[in-house]
Amino acid sequence: MGAHKIRFYPLDIMYKVKNSKPLIYLFGKTAEDKQVCVVDDSFRPYFYVLLKDEDMTDSFCSKVKKIKLEHKNREAAVTDTEITEKKYLGKKRKAVKVYVKIPADVPVIREVIKEWDMIDSINEYDVNYTRRYLIDKGITPLTLVEAEGEMIKLKSRVPCFKADKIEHYSSESIKDPKVFAFDIETYNPAGKRYVPEEHPIIMLAIYGENYRKVLTWKKFKTDKKYIEFADGEVDLINRFKEIIEKNKPDILTGYYSDGFDLPYIITRARHYGIDLDLGLDYSSLNLKKGNRKSIKITGLVHLDVFKFISKIMGRGLDTDSYSLDNVAAEILGEKKIEVEIDGLAKAWDDGTEASLDNFCEYNLKDALLTYKLCLKIFPNIKEMVKIVGLTVYDVSRMSFSQLVEWYIMKQAKDFNEIAPNKPHYDEIGERRKKRYKGAFVFEPKPGLFKDIAVFDFRSLYPTIISSHNIGPSTLQCGCCKEKAEHAPTEDSKYWFCRKKKGFLPSIVEGLITRRMRIKEMLKEKEKDVMLNARSESLKVLANSFYGYLGFFGARWYCFECAESVTAYGRHYIHKVINAAGERGFEVLYSDTDSIFLLLGDQKKEDALKLVENINSKLPGIMELEYEGFYPSGIFVSAKAGKYGAKKKYALLDDKGALKITGFETVRRNWSFIAKEVQEKVLDIVLKERDLQKAVKYVKKTIDDLKDKKIPNEKLEIYTQLKKEIGDYESIGPHVAVAQRMKNKGIDVGPGSLIKYIITEGSGRIRDKAKMKDEVKKGEYDADYYILHQVVPSVERIFDVLGYKKEDLIAGDQSKLGEYF
DNA sequence: ATTCACTGCTTACC
DNA sequence: ACTGGTAAGCAGTGAAC
């Protein structure tokens, strides 16, 4: 045989059944930057069976091997069994690995045997065959793999290679995948609702390295070389296909392309009978329905930048919404081109040259921003792919819980663990009802303070899980029963094994220590993109473990574990609070894992000594860290009573930057004018300590409001619709506005961000709330914005400075006017 | 008709 | 349905006055 070797970076995986045999297709890029498809027919689908009585193993095996049944015109059969020594939730178990012919046989065979009396449980029957392949073979997408075999002929857009042997080669990963970004503009005359069945795609922009193009099909004069005129929409779609086929990108990216662009293109293509067979195996775009639709293109990676940013990276962003404009502004520091997009349909109808030209530029810019965003987030996705071990397509669409679960699934192979099953409907219901106590939050004393030192536990919950060996397999172990250390829950009824490290605590510890090593390396090269991305991915995973333990849908769900983690968390933060008190520090605030100390007449070094002392007593890898020193900070009282408001404070750091937490300033459902005033007041108070200046500023704003000088944009209030309009029991302003929008034919539903302004009039606030487009200049209700927005946002800050609340509000506005 | 305690709802923090 | 609990604070709701 003339077998030879190739090395490649896998990008996508799929399987097909041929002659009753499943074939794995790995699509990727060779080390020489050529596309390739590697085929492997050696991997057999299987699942595990645990028996009640292990002595029955042989009789089970012979019985199960006899199963043969007709299913959908073919014969489903067990091909083999294998007796394996595994671990299941901390116990050694003999597990029978049951092999079947093709993946689709797994549920068929399971259905037959699931009522058999001798069976304790059937496991891993729902593990997707391609994911199973990646895990079992130790193959990580984007990471160098070596295959041995020979080239074969198959119906495919890329050369195919039949592998006799395939294995992970090195951790070296793909360098610069070829990225093409695209974006469409559609004809939308009413400017309200997208109707893909009726309205054509009129522009389609594509952007890649050294490639830019806008396809459109209404001819007009232009000097832009990137504009290409197609002969109508059919031609536009076909050109799009051609361009992708010809340029062979590794990644096709869009912004919300799972939810809008590609479904739209699919609908239009279907309308004309065009086959969008862009898959490298000539398969069509595959729309995966479900709660959140997604679109897969076999062989190349369809990456919806919006999905990954909104699900995983969004936490770190300050933006109010995940619109392309906002996200690009924050991540890239670049905005979209400003156009009145509602005018596109008219410009299209009228054929207004200058206008269409401009819309093309706008279209291209969107594709460009998407392209840049994709390059920017790709290192993060790549590192997550390398850690979790699944494809870019999967990882970029996963939620936190799924990432954690698949990371555990991958580790389970190395730890020889069998995965527990997902809960069924009833079990989910039961789990969802259960609640447990969470973190401790210290009630602050309202006031303006000087010299504050802040400390926090480094990854509190993950380090607790590791240091106290918390996991389902170590819970209530028999070996420690007599002299166990109990978790500090209210009734102290749980303990965790102290003798043997559990599976989950081991892998959490692995994540933390790996990240510590990377942090160490980052000290040398701060800006290293790859290391930063890896550190971030490890952090995201470790931090999600605790939530995963308490998540109703988790395979490794463990209510007692989650409850114990927070109990230990409260225990340790209280220890720190007490120790600080004993050392003569006044504790200003604490939330979950952080503590704010007033230095008073002590020095920073004294506080650091305290931390050192605490650290010497902490178990395992737990550690309290110095977070920062703040020359000035303010805590305010809560609206509801005379107590200090939690989760609401502002600090001035030693570089002069203001750090605002929890205040209206950082909440999107407050008007910009109120947020602006509040931020300014905090700034003046903390930096300049000039009360009169702050008062003057507020007074000026109130006057401007009264004089109708404030533009509408500063008065918009954003509130998200979280469910169907009809499902609301209580109709708030945003729901009322959404209803009226819907009546007008505007497409709003769960997830829509409703923007409204309160206008003059009588009745409830919701009756005065109007969508922003309906409000003309100066039609706003000045009293509302003064009394319900601006004054409430600053009154408790002034309160701290000695002004009585009564003086500020005093019921009617005339008195308010007097004060300011 | 007005007041008030309560609930629903959204969005923050960690 | 797609990680957890803690918390603030709005507007609406409906019973008591």
Side-chain angles (χ1 to χ4, degrees), chain A residues 315 401 438 639 646-648 784 796:
Chain A
R315 289 291 211 286
S401 65
K639 190 101 183 164
K646 297 171 176 178
K647 300 186 187 287
K648 223 175 159 175
Y784 174 83
R796 272 152 301 142

PDB file of all heavy atoms in Angstrom, chain A residues 315 401 438 639 646-648 784 796, chain C residues 1-3 5-7 9 11-12:
ATOM      1  N   ARG A 315     -20.807  39.646  29.024  1.00  0.00           N
ATOM      2  CA  ARG A 315     -20.695  40.035  30.429  1.00  0.00           C
ATOM      3  C   ARG A 315     -19.661  41.143  30.642  1.00  0.00           C
ATOM      4  O   ARG A 315     -19.836  42.017  31.484  1.00  0.00           O
ATOM      5  CB  ARG A 315     -20.303  38.829  31.291  1.00  0.00           C
ATOM      6  CG  ARG A 315     -21.366  37.795  31.463  1.00  0.00           C
ATOM      7  CD  ARG A 315     -22.502  38.326  32.316  1.00  0.00           C
ATOM      8  NE  ARG A 315     -23.139  37.275  33.088  1.00  0.00           N
ATOM      9  CZ  ARG A 315     -23.942  36.372  32.545  1.00  0.00           C
ATOM     10  NH1 ARG A 315     -24.180  36.385  31.251  1.00  0.00           N
ATOM     11  NH2 ARG A 315     -24.493  35.441  33.291  1.00  0.00           N
ATOM     12  N   SER A 401     -23.438  26.738  30.657  1.00  0.00           N
ATOM     13  CA  SER A 401     -23.643  25.399  31.202  1.00  0.00           C
ATOM     14  C   SER A 401     -23.203  24.324  30.210  1.00  0.00           C
ATOM     15  O   SER A 401     -22.655  23.302  30.592  1.00  0.00           O
ATOM     16  CB  SER A 401     -25.101  25.196  31.601  1.00  0.00           C
ATOM     17  OG  SER A 401     -25.928  25.235  30.462  1.00  0.00           O
ATOM     18  N   GLY A 438     -27.728  31.826  49.218  1.00  0.00           N
ATOM     19  CA  GLY A 438     -26.564  32.245  48.438  1.00  0.00           C
ATOM     20  C   GLY A 438     -25.544  33.021  49.246  1.00  0.00           C
ATOM     21  O   GLY A 438     -25.263  32.692  50.401  1.00  0.00           O
ATOM     22  N   LYS A 639     -33.668  53.565  48.998  1.00  0.00           N
ATOM     23  CA  LYS A 639     -34.922  54.301  48.897  1.00  0.00           C
ATOM     24  C   LYS A 639     -35.906  53.829  49.970  1.00  0.00           C
ATOM     25  O   LYS A 639     -36.570  54.618  50.613  1.00  0.00           O
ATOM     26  CB  LYS A 639     -35.530  54.027  47.518  1.00  0.00           C
ATOM     27  CG  LYS A 639     -36.705  54.913  47.202  1.00  0.00           C
ATOM     28  CD  LYS A 639     -36.240  56.003  46.286  1.00  0.00           C
ATOM     29  CE  LYS A 639     -37.361  56.966  45.978  1.00  0.00           C
ATOM     30  NZ  LYS A 639     -36.800  58.202  45.421  1.00  0.00           N
ATOM     31  N   LYS A 646     -27.342  48.171  49.334  1.00  0.00           N
ATOM     32  CA  LYS A 646     -26.334  47.200  48.911  1.00  0.00           C
ATOM     33  C   LYS A 646     -26.152  47.271  47.403  1.00  0.00           C
ATOM     34  O   LYS A 646     -27.043  47.692  46.678  1.00  0.00           O
ATOM     35  CB  LYS A 646     -26.785  45.797  49.316  1.00  0.00           C
ATOM     36  CG  LYS A 646     -26.913  45.633  50.826  1.00  0.00           C
ATOM     37  CD  LYS A 646     -27.558  44.304  51.175  1.00  0.00           C
ATOM     38  CE  LYS A 646     -27.588  44.121  52.694  1.00  0.00           C
ATOM     39  NZ  LYS A 646     -28.252  42.859  53.083  1.00  0.00           N
ATOM     40  N   LYS A 647     -25.027  46.813  46.950  1.00  0.00           N
ATOM     41  CA  LYS A 647     -24.732  46.726  45.507  1.00  0.00           C
ATOM     42  C   LYS A 647     -24.824  48.079  44.801  1.00  0.00           C
ATOM     43  O   LYS A 647     -25.236  48.176  43.658  1.00  0.00           O
ATOM     44  CB  LYS A 647     -25.652  45.701  44.828  1.00  0.00           C
ATOM     45  CG  LYS A 647     -25.505  44.292  45.397  1.00  0.00           C
ATOM     46  CD  LYS A 647     -26.307  43.277  44.637  1.00  0.00           C
ATOM     47  CE  LYS A 647     -26.276  41.925  45.325  1.00  0.00           C
ATOM     48  NZ  LYS A 647     -24.993  41.240  45.200  1.00  0.00           N
ATOM     49  N   LYS A 648     -24.528  49.112  45.537  1.00  0.00           N
ATOM     50  CA  LYS A 648     -24.637  50.466  44.994  1.00  0.00           C
ATOM     51  C   LYS A 648     -23.614  51.363  45.649  1.00  0.00           C
ATOM     52  O   LYS A 648     -23.744  51.708  46.818  1.00  0.00           O
ATOM     53  CB  LYS A 648     -26.054  50.985  45.328  1.00  0.00           C
ATOM     54  CG  LYS A 648     -26.710  51.704  44.193  1.00  0.00           C
ATOM     55  CD  LYS A 648     -28.126  52.067  44.541  1.00  0.00           C
ATOM     56  CE  LYS A 648     -28.547  53.194  43.641  1.00  0.00           C
ATOM     57  NZ  LYS A 648     -29.944  53.551  43.822  1.00  0.00           N
ATOM     58  N   TYR A 784     -42.345  64.797  35.003  1.00  0.00           N
ATOM     59  CA  TYR A 784     -41.976  63.396  35.171  1.00  0.00           C
ATOM     60  C   TYR A 784     -40.459  63.254  35.221  1.00  0.00           C
ATOM     61  O   TYR A 784     -39.917  62.594  36.109  1.00  0.00           O
ATOM     62  CB  TYR A 784     -42.547  62.533  34.047  1.00  0.00           C
ATOM     63  CG  TYR A 784     -42.041  61.100  34.123  1.00  0.00           C
ATOM     64  CD1 TYR A 784     -42.653  60.177  34.967  1.00  0.00           C
ATOM     65  CD2 TYR A 784     -40.905  60.710  33.416  1.00  0.00           C
ATOM     66  CE1 TYR A 784     -42.166  58.886  35.095  1.00  0.00           C
ATOM     67  CE2 TYR A 784     -40.397  59.415  33.532  1.00  0.00           C
ATOM     68  CZ  TYR A 784     -41.040  58.515  34.365  1.00  0.00           C
ATOM     69  OH  TYR A 784     -40.538  57.245  34.493  1.00  0.00           O
ATOM     70  N   ARG A 796     -30.311  60.847  47.021  1.00  0.00           N
ATOM     71  CA  ARG A 796     -29.641  60.140  48.119  1.00  0.00           C
ATOM     72  C   ARG A 796     -28.141  60.403  48.162  1.00  0.00           C
ATOM     73  O   ARG A 796     -27.499  60.168  49.161  1.00  0.00           O
ATOM     74  CB  ARG A 796     -29.966  58.659  48.074  1.00  0.00           C
ATOM     75  CG  ARG A 796     -31.248  58.378  48.845  1.00  0.00           C
ATOM     76  CD  ARG A 796     -31.974  57.196  48.328  1.00  0.00           C
ATOM     77  NE  ARG A 796     -32.312  57.393  46.931  1.00  0.00           N
ATOM     78  CZ  ARG A 796     -32.266  56.434  46.035  1.00  0.00           C
ATOM     79  NH1 ARG A 796     -31.889  55.240  46.373  1.00  0.00           N
ATOM     80  NH2 ARG A 796     -32.610  56.687  44.785  1.00  0.00           N
TER      81      ARG A 796
ATOM     82  P    DA C   1     -39.244  25.459  29.321  1.00  0.00           P
ATOM     83  OP1  DA C   1     -40.212  25.540  30.361  1.00  0.00           O
ATOM     84  OP2  DA C   1     -39.395  25.091  27.951  1.00  0.00           O
ATOM     85  O5'  DA C   1     -38.104  26.571  29.416  1.00  0.00           O
ATOM     86  C5'  DA C   1     -37.466  26.765  30.654  1.00  0.00           C
ATOM     87  C4'  DA C   1     -35.978  26.702  30.513  1.00  0.00           C
ATOM     88  O4'  DA C   1     -35.580  25.452  29.891  1.00  0.00           O
ATOM     89  C3'  DA C   1     -35.386  27.814  29.649  1.00  0.00           C
ATOM     90  O3'  DA C   1     -34.374  28.450  30.447  1.00  0.00           O
ATOM     91  C2'  DA C   1     -34.731  27.089  28.471  1.00  0.00           C
ATOM     92  C1'  DA C   1     -34.488  25.702  29.034  1.00  0.00           C
ATOM     93  N9   DA C   1     -34.491  24.608  28.074  1.00  0.00           N
ATOM     94  C8   DA C   1     -33.392  24.112  27.444  1.00  0.00           C
ATOM     95  N7   DA C   1     -33.645  23.104  26.628  1.00  0.00           N
ATOM     96  C5   DA C   1     -35.023  22.939  26.749  1.00  0.00           C
ATOM     97  C6   DA C   1     -35.920  22.057  26.157  1.00  0.00           C
ATOM     98  N6   DA C   1     -35.553  21.118  25.282  1.00  0.00           N
ATOM     99  N1   DA C   1     -37.225  22.153  26.489  1.00  0.00           N
ATOM    100  C2   DA C   1     -37.583  23.091  27.355  1.00  0.00           C
ATOM    101  N3   DA C   1     -36.824  23.991  27.978  1.00  0.00           N
ATOM    102  C4   DA C   1     -35.552  23.869  27.636  1.00  0.00           C
ATOM    103  P    DC C   2     -33.551  29.709  30.120  1.00  0.00           P
ATOM    104  OP1  DC C   2     -33.403  30.521  31.331  1.00  0.00           O
ATOM    105  OP2  DC C   2     -34.066  30.329  28.885  1.00  0.00           O
ATOM    106  O5'  DC C   2     -32.170  28.980  29.789  1.00  0.00           O
ATOM    107  C5'  DC C   2     -31.557  28.137  30.773  1.00  0.00           C
ATOM    108  C4'  DC C   2     -30.383  27.411  30.167  1.00  0.00           C
ATOM    109  O4'  DC C   2     -30.857  26.334  29.342  1.00  0.00           O
ATOM    110  C3'  DC C   2     -29.537  28.266  29.223  1.00  0.00           C
ATOM    111  O3'  DC C   2     -28.626  29.097  29.913  1.00  0.00           O
ATOM    112  C2'  DC C   2     -28.897  27.204  28.313  1.00  0.00           C
ATOM    113  C1'  DC C   2     -29.963  26.101  28.265  1.00  0.00           C
ATOM    114  N1   DC C   2     -30.749  26.035  26.992  1.00  0.00           N
ATOM    115  C2   DC C   2     -30.832  24.805  26.327  1.00  0.00           C
ATOM    116  O2   DC C   2     -30.234  23.830  26.828  1.00  0.00           O
ATOM    117  N3   DC C   2     -31.539  24.724  25.186  1.00  0.00           N
ATOM    118  C4   DC C   2     -32.147  25.811  24.694  1.00  0.00           C
ATOM    119  N4   DC C   2     -32.825  25.665  23.562  1.00  0.00           N
ATOM    120  C5   DC C   2     -32.083  27.058  25.343  1.00  0.00           C
ATOM    121  C6   DC C   2     -31.372  27.137  26.496  1.00  0.00           C
ATOM    122  P    DT C   3     -27.376  29.078  30.726  1.00  0.00           P
ATOM    123  OP1  DT C   3     -27.132  30.454  30.366  1.00  0.00           O
ATOM    124  OP2  DT C   3     -26.408  27.974  30.502  1.00  0.00           O
ATOM    125  O5'  DT C   3     -27.689  29.070  32.308  1.00  0.00           O
ATOM    126  C5'  DT C   3     -28.088  27.879  32.921  1.00  0.00           C
ATOM    127  C4'  DT C   3     -27.196  27.609  34.134  1.00  0.00           C
ATOM    128  O4'  DT C   3     -25.848  27.979  33.870  1.00  0.00           O
ATOM    129  C3'  DT C   3     -27.568  28.416  35.371  1.00  0.00           C
ATOM    130  O3'  DT C   3     -28.620  27.777  36.048  1.00  0.00           O
ATOM    131  C2'  DT C   3     -26.263  28.338  36.170  1.00  0.00           C
ATOM    132  C1'  DT C   3     -25.217  28.459  35.058  1.00  0.00           C
ATOM    133  N1   DT C   3     -24.766  29.865  34.858  1.00  0.00           N
ATOM    134  C2   DT C   3     -23.602  30.277  35.487  1.00  0.00           C
ATOM    135  O2   DT C   3     -22.944  29.544  36.190  1.00  0.00           O
ATOM    136  N3   DT C   3     -23.268  31.587  35.268  1.00  0.00           N
ATOM    137  C4   DT C   3     -23.957  32.520  34.502  1.00  0.00           C
ATOM    138  O4   DT C   3     -23.560  33.671  34.373  1.00  0.00           O
ATOM    139  C5   DT C   3     -25.168  32.026  33.885  1.00  0.00           C
ATOM    140  C7   DT C   3     -26.007  32.952  33.069  1.00  0.00           C
ATOM    141  C6   DT C   3     -25.493  30.743  34.089  1.00  0.00           C
ATOM    142  P    DG C   5     -30.866  29.754  42.604  1.00  0.00           P
ATOM    143  OP1  DG C   5     -31.684  28.825  43.382  1.00  0.00           O
ATOM    144  OP2  DG C   5     -31.453  30.576  41.524  1.00  0.00           O
ATOM    145  O5'  DG C   5     -30.145  30.773  43.600  1.00  0.00           O
ATOM    146  C5'  DG C   5     -29.554  30.296  44.799  1.00  0.00           C
ATOM    147  C4'  DG C   5     -28.900  31.468  45.499  1.00  0.00           C
ATOM    148  O4'  DG C   5     -28.143  32.213  44.530  1.00  0.00           O
ATOM    149  C3'  DG C   5     -29.896  32.468  46.111  1.00  0.00           C
ATOM    150  O3'  DG C   5     -29.355  32.962  47.347  1.00  0.00           O
ATOM    151  C2'  DG C   5     -29.987  33.549  45.062  1.00  0.00           C
ATOM    152  C1'  DG C   5     -28.551  33.566  44.521  1.00  0.00           C
ATOM    153  N9   DG C   5     -28.499  34.103  43.163  1.00  0.00           N
ATOM    154  C8   DG C   5     -29.066  33.581  42.032  1.00  0.00           C
ATOM    155  N7   DG C   5     -28.875  34.323  40.973  1.00  0.00           N
ATOM    156  C5   DG C   5     -28.148  35.403  41.432  1.00  0.00           C
ATOM    157  C6   DG C   5     -27.652  36.545  40.743  1.00  0.00           C
ATOM    158  O6   DG C   5     -27.771  36.830  39.551  1.00  0.00           O
ATOM    159  N1   DG C   5     -26.962  37.408  41.591  1.00  0.00           N
ATOM    160  C2   DG C   5     -26.778  37.185  42.929  1.00  0.00           C
ATOM    161  N2   DG C   5     -26.090  38.126  43.600  1.00  0.00           N
ATOM    162  N3   DG C   5     -27.226  36.121  43.595  1.00  0.00           N
ATOM    163  C4   DG C   5     -27.898  35.281  42.779  1.00  0.00           C
ATOM    164  P    DT C   6     -30.144  34.018  48.243  1.00  0.00           P
ATOM    165  OP1  DT C   6     -29.711  33.799  49.625  1.00  0.00           O
ATOM    166  OP2  DT C   6     -31.581  34.006  47.896  1.00  0.00           O
ATOM    167  O5'  DT C   6     -29.554  35.412  47.723  1.00  0.00           O
ATOM    168  C5'  DT C   6     -28.224  35.762  48.062  1.00  0.00           C
ATOM    169  C4'  DT C   6     -28.048  37.261  47.924  1.00  0.00           C
ATOM    170  O4'  DT C   6     -28.054  37.625  46.519  1.00  0.00           O
ATOM    171  C3'  DT C   6     -29.152  38.092  48.585  1.00  0.00           C
ATOM    172  O3'  DT C   6     -28.516  39.164  49.266  1.00  0.00           O
ATOM    173  C2'  DT C   6     -30.002  38.579  47.425  1.00  0.00           C
ATOM    174  C1'  DT C   6     -28.980  38.677  46.307  1.00  0.00           C
ATOM    175  N1   DT C   6     -29.509  38.490  44.929  1.00  0.00           N
ATOM    176  C2   DT C   6     -29.180  39.406  43.962  1.00  0.00           C
ATOM    177  O2   DT C   6     -28.490  40.385  44.179  1.00  0.00           O
ATOM    178  N3   DT C   6     -29.695  39.147  42.717  1.00  0.00           N
ATOM    179  C4   DT C   6     -30.484  38.078  42.352  1.00  0.00           C
ATOM    180  O4   DT C   6     -30.877  37.960  41.191  1.00  0.00           O
ATOM    181  C5   DT C   6     -30.793  37.154  43.403  1.00  0.00           C
ATOM    182  C7   DT C   6     -31.650  35.956  43.103  1.00  0.00           C
ATOM    183  C6   DT C   6     -30.295  37.397  44.637  1.00  0.00           C
ATOM    184  P    DA C   7     -29.438  40.144  50.208  1.00  0.00           P
ATOM    185  OP1  DA C   7     -28.523  40.692  51.218  1.00  0.00           O
ATOM    186  OP2  DA C   7     -30.688  39.470  50.602  1.00  0.00           O
ATOM    187  O5'  DA C   7     -29.837  41.300  49.195  1.00  0.00           O
ATOM    188  C5'  DA C   7     -28.805  42.133  48.655  1.00  0.00           C
ATOM    189  C4'  DA C   7     -29.404  43.093  47.655  1.00  0.00           C
ATOM    190  O4'  DA C   7     -29.744  42.387  46.447  1.00  0.00           O
ATOM    191  C3'  DA C   7     -30.680  43.805  48.086  1.00  0.00           C
ATOM    192  O3'  DA C   7     -30.333  45.140  48.408  1.00  0.00           O
ATOM    193  C2'  DA C   7     -31.607  43.738  46.865  1.00  0.00           C
ATOM    194  C1'  DA C   7     -30.718  43.158  45.775  1.00  0.00           C
ATOM    195  N9   DA C   7     -31.404  42.273  44.845  1.00  0.00           N
ATOM    196  C8   DA C   7     -31.987  41.070  45.110  1.00  0.00           C
ATOM    197  N7   DA C   7     -32.528  40.504  44.054  1.00  0.00           N
ATOM    198  C5   DA C   7     -32.284  41.406  43.029  1.00  0.00           C
ATOM    199  C6   DA C   7     -32.605  41.397  41.654  1.00  0.00           C
ATOM    200  N6   DA C   7     -33.272  40.408  41.057  1.00  0.00           N
ATOM    201  N1   DA C   7     -32.197  42.451  40.916  1.00  0.00           N
ATOM    202  C2   DA C   7     -31.527  43.452  41.517  1.00  0.00           C
ATOM    203  N3   DA C   7     -31.169  43.571  42.793  1.00  0.00           N
ATOM    204  C4   DA C   7     -31.580  42.502  43.500  1.00  0.00           C
ATOM    205  P    DG C   9     -32.557  51.945  45.747  1.00  0.00           P
ATOM    206  OP1  DG C   9     -31.698  53.088  45.430  1.00  0.00           O
ATOM    207  OP2  DG C   9     -33.170  51.815  47.092  1.00  0.00           O
ATOM    208  O5'  DG C   9     -33.733  51.878  44.689  1.00  0.00           O
ATOM    209  C5'  DG C   9     -33.415  52.021  43.307  1.00  0.00           C
ATOM    210  C4'  DG C   9     -34.672  51.800  42.533  1.00  0.00           C
ATOM    211  O4'  DG C   9     -34.967  50.379  42.521  1.00  0.00           O
ATOM    212  C3'  DG C   9     -35.900  52.478  43.161  1.00  0.00           C
ATOM    213  O3'  DG C   9     -36.571  53.228  42.183  1.00  0.00           O
ATOM    214  C2'  DG C   9     -36.753  51.326  43.640  1.00  0.00           C
ATOM    215  C1'  DG C   9     -36.360  50.248  42.640  1.00  0.00           C
ATOM    216  N9   DG C   9     -36.707  48.901  43.044  1.00  0.00           N
ATOM    217  C8   DG C   9     -36.716  48.362  44.299  1.00  0.00           C
ATOM    218  N7   DG C   9     -37.120  47.120  44.335  1.00  0.00           N
ATOM    219  C5   DG C   9     -37.399  46.829  43.007  1.00  0.00           C
ATOM    220  C6   DG C   9     -37.896  45.646  42.410  1.00  0.00           C
ATOM    221  O6   DG C   9     -38.187  44.585  42.968  1.00  0.00           O
ATOM    222  N1   DG C   9     -38.046  45.775  41.044  1.00  0.00           N
ATOM    223  C2   DG C   9     -37.755  46.910  40.330  1.00  0.00           C
ATOM    224  N2   DG C   9     -37.965  46.859  39.014  1.00  0.00           N
ATOM    225  N3   DG C   9     -37.300  48.032  40.869  1.00  0.00           N
ATOM    226  C4   DG C   9     -37.153  47.923  42.202  1.00  0.00           C
ATOM    227  P    DA C  11     -42.055  55.232  37.906  1.00  0.00           P
ATOM    228  OP1  DA C  11     -41.939  56.157  36.763  1.00  0.00           O
ATOM    229  OP2  DA C  11     -42.446  55.716  39.247  1.00  0.00           O
ATOM    230  O5'  DA C  11     -43.054  54.049  37.533  1.00  0.00           O
ATOM    231  C5'  DA C  11     -42.916  53.388  36.282  1.00  0.00           C
ATOM    232  C4'  DA C  11     -44.006  52.344  36.182  1.00  0.00           C
ATOM    233  O4'  DA C  11     -43.793  51.353  37.226  1.00  0.00           O
ATOM    234  C3'  DA C  11     -45.424  52.882  36.377  1.00  0.00           C
ATOM    235  O3'  DA C  11     -46.249  52.339  35.365  1.00  0.00           O
ATOM    236  C2'  DA C  11     -45.798  52.458  37.790  1.00  0.00           C
ATOM    237  C1'  DA C  11     -44.977  51.186  37.986  1.00  0.00           C
ATOM    238  N9   DA C  11     -44.562  50.961  39.373  1.00  0.00           N
ATOM    239  C8   DA C  11     -44.048  51.876  40.260  1.00  0.00           C
ATOM    240  N7   DA C  11     -43.771  51.374  41.434  1.00  0.00           N
ATOM    241  C5   DA C  11     -44.121  50.037  41.321  1.00  0.00           C
ATOM    242  C6   DA C  11     -44.066  48.955  42.231  1.00  0.00           C
ATOM    243  N6   DA C  11     -43.616  49.069  43.486  1.00  0.00           N
ATOM    244  N1   DA C  11     -44.495  47.754  41.806  1.00  0.00           N
ATOM    245  C2   DA C  11     -44.940  47.644  40.545  1.00  0.00           C
ATOM    246  N3   DA C  11     -45.032  48.583  39.596  1.00  0.00           N
ATOM    247  C4   DA C  11     -44.603  49.763  40.055  1.00  0.00           C
ATOM    248  P    DG C  12     -47.811  52.490  35.359  1.00  0.00           P
ATOM    249  OP1  DG C  12     -48.203  52.445  33.935  1.00  0.00           O
ATOM    250  OP2  DG C  12     -48.224  53.612  36.205  1.00  0.00           O
ATOM    251  O5'  DG C  12     -48.270  51.128  36.044  1.00  0.00           O
ATOM    252  C5'  DG C  12     -47.929  49.911  35.398  1.00  0.00           C
ATOM    253  C4'  DG C  12     -48.578  48.752  36.127  1.00  0.00           C
ATOM    254  O4'  DG C  12     -48.036  48.659  37.464  1.00  0.00           O
ATOM    255  C3'  DG C  12     -50.102  48.851  36.292  1.00  0.00           C
ATOM    256  O3'  DG C  12     -50.598  47.546  36.057  1.00  0.00           O
ATOM    257  C2'  DG C  12     -50.284  49.291  37.746  1.00  0.00           C
ATOM    258  C1'  DG C  12     -49.084  48.627  38.421  1.00  0.00           C
ATOM    259  N9   DG C  12     -48.550  49.290  39.605  1.00  0.00           N
ATOM    260  C8   DG C  12     -48.140  50.601  39.715  1.00  0.00           C
ATOM    261  N7   DG C  12     -47.665  50.878  40.901  1.00  0.00           N
ATOM    262  C5   DG C  12     -47.767  49.690  41.603  1.00  0.00           C
ATOM    263  C6   DG C  12     -47.413  49.380  42.947  1.00  0.00           C
ATOM    264  O6   DG C  12     -46.903  50.116  43.789  1.00  0.00           O
ATOM    265  N1   DG C  12     -47.683  48.067  43.269  1.00  0.00           N
ATOM    266  C2   DG C  12     -48.224  47.143  42.400  1.00  0.00           C
ATOM    267  N2   DG C  12     -48.421  45.917  42.876  1.00  0.00           N
ATOM    268  N3   DG C  12     -48.567  47.413  41.144  1.00  0.00           N
ATOM    269  C4   DG C  12     -48.314  48.699  40.816  1.00  0.00           C
TER     270       DG C  12
END
